[in-house]
Amino acid sequence: MSILVQLLKNTQAWALALLLTFTATSKAELTYRTIGNTITITGSNPKASGNLVIRSTYNNLPVTSIGDSAFRDCSGLTSVTLPNSITSIGTSTFRGCSGLTSVTLPSSLTSIAQGAFYGCTGLTSVTLPSSITSISNWAFSGCTGLTSVTIGNSVTSIGDEAFASCSGLTSVTIGNSVTSIGDGAFLGCSGLTNFTVEVKNPVYTSTSGVLFNKAQTSLLQFPGGKTGDYTISSSVTSINYAAFYNCTGLTSVTIPIGVTSIPTFSGCFGLTNVT
């Protein structure tokens, strides 16, 4: 065999190996670490794409958690299925996964961490399992594709700006057990027209789609997409500072005499009259 032919064959083999390397890196290769007798998923190839199903065990140990930012900015992922062994997902785990349209959350999960799905603009719906008790700050903030959210009776708290800037959101149902809603939880939801609060909720209620405290002495949030004139009930004595922020379809507001502090009407471009 001539040196030239051997060199050509070596070059072809090297090119094939290089091609196989690049092909392999396009797959959802996961990194993980062992903590005690459990596995935590710590990361993924940022070029991962398609559907991702995480196994319940690695090296015969249960996968119990997803680490902080493990899949951050994996914009090629379209769906993720987490096993029932998972009990926690970290901060910003799926942040910026703009191609993500579907997530299956396990019944073993008890909370949605801070910014877990922040900026997942392709996400259209989320089903929260009955095991979830808290939704942390910014958990779904900027998920502009979300159209409706049902917050079940197991959830007790919704964090600051948890659903802020979800412009596609049109309705929100709040369950019986929610006793804490953070600042700006639904701020900037320009398509939102209705809040519904389950009647047995001890802290919150809704009337005509507007969110109040149970006694209806405090107006907490006016739906950002609700249009027309609005007269605030005479029972109201306080209004959340950002309750009417960016309510572009609001045309007129009448505030009762008992209210001593006026909220911001910033971004209410259609507002022509305030009494």
Side-chain angles (χ1 to χ4, degrees), residues 104-144:
T104 302
L105 299 175
S107 59
S108 53
L109 194 64
T110 58
S111 65
I112 307 294
Q114 288 192 11
F117 297 96
Y118 187 105
C120 291
T121 55
L123 201 60
T124 56
S125 65
V126 173
T127 300
L128 301 179
S130 59
S131 56
I132 296 290
T133 58
S134 65
I135 302 171
S136 298
N137 302 344
W138 318 292
F140 295 97
S141 183
C143 291
T144 55

Side-chain angles (χ1 to χ4, degrees), residues 42 66-72 88-95 111-118 136-139:
T42 57
I66 311 292
D68 295 347
S69 301
F71 298 97
R72 183 168 180 167
S88 67
I89 57 177
T91 300
S92 300
T93 297
F94 298 100
R95 180 170 179 158
S111 65
I112 307 294
Q114 288 192 11
F117 297 96
Y118 187 105
S136 298
N137 302 344
W138 318 292

